[in-house]
Amino acid sequence: MSIFIGGAWAYANGSLHLGHISSLLPGDILARYYRLKGEKVLYVSGSDCNGTPIAIRAKQEGVTPAEIADRYHHEFVECFSKLGFSYDTYTRTDIEHHHKIVQEFFLEMLEKRLIYKKEIDQTYCEYDQQFLPDRYVEGLCPNCGAKARGDQCDHCSTVLEPLELLDRKCKICGNTPITRKTDHFYFSLSSLQQCLESYTHKAANKKLWRENAVALTKRYLKEGLQDRAVSRDLPIGVSIPVAGYEDKKIYVWIEAVSGYYTASKLWAKETNNDDSIFWNSSAISYYVHGKDNIPFHSIIWPAILTSLGIKALPTHIVSNEYLTLEKKKLSTSNNWAVWVPVILERYESDSIRYFLTINAPESRDADFSWKEFIYSHNSELLGAYGNFVNRTLKFIEKSFDGMISEKAAAPAIQNKISLLYSEVGHCIESALFKQGLEKVFEHVRFANKYFDEHQPWKLIHDDELTCQQIMADCVYLIANLAQILTPFLPFSSLKVQKMLNINEKKWKPIQIEMLQLSNVEPLFERIDVARIDEELERLSNQSAKN
């Protein structure tokens, strides 16, 4: 079975925050799980280094767009690495390889008359003397009245054109733009309406998409798909490969979603592999992103693939709702965010991964609070899981010199673990990551209760053989809990496997015939609860300085 996993591409115009990680983390959980199952996996993403946000940031700082893109791309690579994201390829959209394939896509769709040219009215800033691409225009959403950009309203998720905004302003200078005639290229989305309706209906019936993706996509289809501009007047990006139009760029969202395919081709080229197995009708694909990116994955990308005759339409759309911060909406402009480079300096990656999974905004918005984050770490990771691992292994180290030989776990314990592999595997494949992790920690609590009820500290004096059996059961639980937790908590799982001298990495129960412990150490350290107030004060000061 071939599994393609595409993580949404973050704009390289600023640091990542926890909202980004919350929506992208499911991709890594999926990739690690399917690799343990022995499936052929390709997990790709990259930094979106083209488009308006980067050009705006560069202009604000008085540097080149390339400098901004380089800075944040390298920061993203470091952050994802520290968080344990196991991309097969993590690339960027400003490389020649990507540009060349996107231009080939454009020309093929142009030849098939699915892209066409027409004269339109466009916003033009007389003060800055330039046509304004969508994100250079801000105003009020005509649908809900909220503040919106010229491409989309984040409040009601309506996809927009700049001229639809009310009370339009130029983002560069704040003046009201005028309209002027210009030529642009358009994607004939309307001609694919029936095809996309059939595709969405099938996906919805199979329950392979999150409910928010189904509802939003059906809304767009009911309203009727409109042809969308695929060119923009931008200083950076993929140039239109048509004579006389080289100064115009291919619309970033048409171009960026094509990055899934170009990243796949880059992986194939660099590793000398065949990636065609990920782009046929039998491939399973997961597209992992936030709620605001739904239409680009459920409508735009399937439309592009259909236009090109590529059969591998997205099968699973894993679209998280929003993550709030201390009950307030995340705001990068107001500096109301927990920045990933900063939290990684002070806390363990598995603590971040655990909290963002067990509190994931899978079906509704979820909140990140410093109090819940620190209490969650101390009570669940340290108090339940870490405590069970540590006291079991320390007891074996002290009472059995770190060795237990040829003791199979009790049949009831083995059956319990076998069922857990099946249940958690089903949860992960169904994109129910929170539910899967909850099931694991139900077994962690069972394991602690099992240890307490048998009181090995007493049993060692009364019945050493039975005590040895109980410890064999506990080690079996530890080894398999760590294996099942590998997709969720890769760093602590690896520590457990090193302590138990286990090298087997498969999605099936591990049998331990001979145990020889090595370098037993705590999995987690307690976080001082005084840090809650420290973090809240830091957050408040950070926002106030903005």
Side-chain angles (χ1 to χ4, degrees), residues 253-284:
W253 271 111
I254 296 291
E255 169 251 310
V257 291
S258 300
Y260 295 120
Y261 189 85
T262 68
S264 173
K265 292 298 175 189
L266 183 63
W267 169 81
K269 179 182 175 182
E270 291 180 341
T271 61
N272 197 29
N273 274 295
D274 178 14
D275 73 331
S276 63
I277 60 170
F278 301 106
W279 297 104
N280 60 47
S281 57
S282 64
I284 293 174

Side-chain angles (χ1 to χ4, degrees), residues 74-75 497:
H74 294 308
E75 185 180 290
Q497 288 160 350

Side-chain angles (χ1 to χ4, degrees), residues 348 351 377-378 382 495 522-528:
E348 294 296 322
S351 302
H377 170 92
N378 286 344
L382 173 67
K495 283 174 74 173
L523 279 188
F524 306 101
E525 299 291 338
R526 180 170 295 280
I527 301 173
D528 189 341

Side-chain angles (χ1 to χ4, degrees), residues 19 22 33 61 77 83 109 157 211 234 249 264 345 350 379 382 386 391 402-403 405 424 510:
S22 175
Y33 163 74
E61 294 192 16
V77 169
L83 283 164
M109 292 163 72
S157 298
E211 281 299 317
L234 288 170
K249 309 300 179 188
S264 173
E345 290 176 0
D350 274 359
S379 63
L382 173 67
R391 63 178 179 159
M403 293 180 65
S405 60
V424 175
I510 300 170

Side-chain angles (χ1 to χ4, degrees), residues 409-478:
I413 298 290
Q414 293 194 46
N415 291 338
K416 197 172 183 67
I417 286 296
S418 180
L419 182 60
L420 184 62
Y421 274 96
S422 176
E423 289 179 339
V424 175
H426 176 72
C427 286
I428 293 175
E429 291 181 23
S430 305
L432 300 170
F433 309 102
K434 178 179 178 179
Q435 184 179 320
L437 190 54
E438 284 172 343
K439 286 181 180 295
V440 182
F441 272 78
E442 285 173 13
H443 283 67
V444 168
R445 286 185 281 277
F446 161 79
N448 274 300
K449 185 179 179 183
Y450 188 80
F451 187 98
D452 290 337
E453 285 179 345
H454 286 91
Q455 300 181 314
W457 57 93
K458 291 183 179 177
L459 201 58
I460 186 67
H461 303 297
D462 303 331
D463 187 346
E464 187 174 326
L465 279 177
T466 301
C467 184
Q468 203 170 39
Q469 179 64 59
I470 299 305
M471 288 300 99
D473 293 346
C474 288
V475 168
Y476 181 83
L477 285 166
I478 289 170

Side-chain angles (χ1 to χ4, degrees), residues 21-184:
I21 303 306
S22 175
S23 64
L24 294 175
L25 182 56
D28 187 62
I29 296 171
L30 284 161
R32 289 177 177 276
Y33 163 74
Y34 276 114
R35 290 192 196 109
L36 284 172
K37 279 197 76 181
E39 308 294 0
K40 294 174 182 175
V41 174
L42 180 57
Y43 176 31
V44 306
S45 187
S47 304
D48 189 345
C49 297
N50 297 324
T52 312
I54 292 159
I56 290 173
R57 183 66 179 257
K59 197 157 191 171
Q60 289 170 343
E61 294 192 16
V63 298
T64 66
E67 288 178 79
I68 296 293
D70 283 346
R71 180 198 308 168
Y72 290 109
H73 172 71
H74 294 308
E75 185 180 290
F76 292 177
V77 169
E78 185 178 0
C79 287
F80 285 131
S81 175
K82 287 180 178 178
L83 283 164
F85 278 53
S86 56
Y87 292 117
D88 293 295
T89 288
Y90 185 86
T91 181
R92 51 196 292 171
T93 60
D94 57 354
I95 60 174
E96 184 181 350
H97 168 87
H98 174 76
H99 283 220
K100 182 174 180 292
I101 295 176
V102 170
Q103 288 176 328
E104 289 170 359
F105 279 6
F106 185 94
L107 289 173
E108 184 176 339
M109 292 163 72
L110 186 65
E111 187 179 342
K112 291 179 176 179
R113 298 185 179 180
L114 288 163
I115 287 179
Y116 61 91
K117 183 177 62 178
K118 76 171 183 177
E119 186 181 62
I120 63 163
D121 288 326
Q122 186 175 341
T123 50
Y124 182 88
C125 181
E126 293 181 299
Y127 182 83
D128 294 301
Q129 295 189 328
Q130 68 175 77
F131 282 104
L132 300 176
D134 43 26
R135 288 202 177 208
Y136 276 60
V137 186
E138 294 181 337
L140 301 178
C141 174
N143 184 55
C144 70
K147 287 184 179 179
R149 304 184 307 266
D151 63 340
Q152 183 175 338
C153 173
D154 286 338
H155 186 263
C156 70
S157 298
T158 298
V159 176
L160 299 166
E161 292 282 358
L163 288 173
E164 294 178 289
L165 289 177
L166 307 175
D167 193 24
R168 293 184 292 276
K169 299 294 181 187
C170 170
K171 185 173 177 65
I172 305 169
C173 65
N175 290 314
T176 301
I178 62 169
T179 59
R180 277 192 184 177
K181 299 284 185 185
T182 186
D183 283 341
H184 271 294

